[in-house]
Amino acid sequence: MTDGSSPARSADRRAPAEAIVRHYRRNGDWAPRITELMRAHGLDPRDPDAMAPLEQLHLGGHDATRALADWAGLAGGTVLDIGCGIGGPARTLAHAFACDVTGIDLTHGYCRDAGALSRQVGLAARTRFACASAHDLPFAAASFPWVWTQHAAMNIPDKRAMYAEIARVLQPGGRLVLHDIVAGPGREPHFPVPWASTPDASFLLPARGVHALLRAAGLRERVWEDLSKHAVQRVRDARARMRAGEPEGLGPHLLQGAEFLEMRRNLARNLEEGRVGVIRAVFEKA
């Protein structure tokens, strides 16, 4: 399937795609390092619950994924996960919510690691992964009752095309579940941040812009929630725990290198200064 893009438009998309892949590829292979870290902490690498704190590369981690699925009423069914990363949310939906999940991501290494980790924890039959662009989903129309995207739209240059593709692959009455970082009312974000080393890999819209594009794609709002204040409070609570000397638990920060500390500090600052916000929503195809 193609979106009818002109050669110039396709070239325009390739440049940011290269910056995005470069950013996510900087840490190398995740699967062997996750396995090694689990063993170093006395954890069974075949246990999906034990792996969960290490595989969720988004704000709020595993708790946010479970809360989003509960909030959206997701219980079973077939799900398309756009921007699946190394497959953490997909495995959570498969293991804890009895879903069959197809994940797509732009980064080849992430898709490879996602498949390896799913096989390792015995979830290969319920999760599958492919390298593809959200601008051009390689699926037939009306293929999925659920589409899921969690902290992925920040890296999507053409959100109009993405939401149109989501509407195309959703079945009538199907639902989109999203959890995203959006542009805030403040100035431009400080970089680097967890989703982009440089501004050329970041494509944020204000919440109202996201909402307008979703409606223009033919999707109808069921629920919408601004989580920005909640995210700021999480940042401040984490800072207070660090100042009190409380050790930080197991998480993907242990695998992302020294530069991730600056990315995380900038994300906290951006949230507190209103440069970015956080939303979650469920939309339905009429």
Side-chain angles (χ1 to χ4, degrees):
M1 181 267 174
T2 63
D3 63 359
S5 297
S6 68
R9 188 174 185 188
S10 296
D12 288 344
R13 286 174 174 174
R14 280 198 297 271
E18 291 167 2
I20 293 161
V21 171
R22 245 190 341 266
H23 170 76
Y24 288 113
R25 201 171 50 197
R26 74 190 190 282
N27 289 312
D29 295 338
W30 280 78
R33 291 184 298 124
I34 286 177
T35 301
E36 182 181 351
L37 187 61
M38 291 181 72
R39 287 176 175 148
H41 284 77
L43 300 172
D44 182 357
R46 298 165 300 178
D47 181 353
D49 292 319
M51 185 183 289
L54 292 167
E55 63 182 2
Q56 309 268 346
L57 311 183
H58 52 259
L59 197 65
H62 182 245
D63 290 344
T65 297
R66 291 192 64 114
L68 181 64
D70 282 331
W71 183 75
L74 216 170
T78 304
V79 181
L80 172 63
D81 180 5
I82 296 178
C84 63
I86 60 172
R91 282 184 291 278
T92 295
L93 295 179
H95 178 59
F97 294 88
C99 296
D100 290 306
V101 188
T102 297
I104 67 150
D105 202 277
L106 201 59
T107 305
H108 284 273
Y110 273 14
C111 295
R112 183 184 60 245
D113 285 333
L117 292 170
S118 283
R119 289 189 296 273
Q120 183 170 300
V121 298
L123 289 170
R126 305 205 76 160
T127 58
R128 58 210 60 85
F129 305 97
C131 190
S133 168
H135 295 142
D136 254 327
L137 297 175
F139 307 106
S143 296
F144 296 94
W146 293 92
V147 173
W148 172 283
T149 178
Q150 194 169 14
H151 282 39
M154 310 96 68
N155 292 127
I156 308 297
D158 190 346
K159 290 180 178 52
R160 183 181 299 276
M162 176 181 72
Y163 295 137
E165 279 289 84
I166 287 172
R168 182 183 67 81
V169 302
L170 271 175
Q171 296 171 359
R175 296 182 183 181
L176 164 66
V177 182
L178 65 90
H179 178 209
D180 278 325
I181 291 177
V182 295
R187 293 165 291 172
E188 290 296 308
H190 302 288
F191 288 90
V193 286
W195 67 90
S197 300
T198 52
D200 61 344
S202 179
F203 305 92
L204 300 182
L205 284 180
R208 65 181 180 277
V210 172
H211 195 281
L213 288 179
L214 288 163
R215 288 180 61 84
L219 300 174
R220 178 175 58 204
E221 176 193 331
R222 290 188 59 87
V223 283
W224 176 282
E225 187 174 9
D226 188 326
L227 297 178
S228 302
K229 291 181 180 178
H230 175 73
V232 169
Q233 190 58 53
R234 283 182 62 95
V235 163
R236 292 174 176 168
D237 290 345
R239 189 179 296 140
R241 289 193 297 270
M242 289 179 67
R243 287 173 178 165
E246 184 178 328
E248 190 168 6
L250 208 59
H253 61 279
L254 298 174
L255 299 161
Q256 298 200 61
E259 74 273 17
F260 183 70
L261 297 177
E262 182 184 6
M263 293 177 179
R264 190 165 62 174
R265 283 193 298 268
N266 282 340
L267 174 56
R269 183 180 176 189
N270 289 330
L271 284 164
E272 291 185 306
E273 294 179 2
R275 295 170 186 264
V276 302
V278 184
I279 58 166
R280 66 178 181 179
V282 178
F283 276 73
E284 185 175 67
K285 182 175 179 178

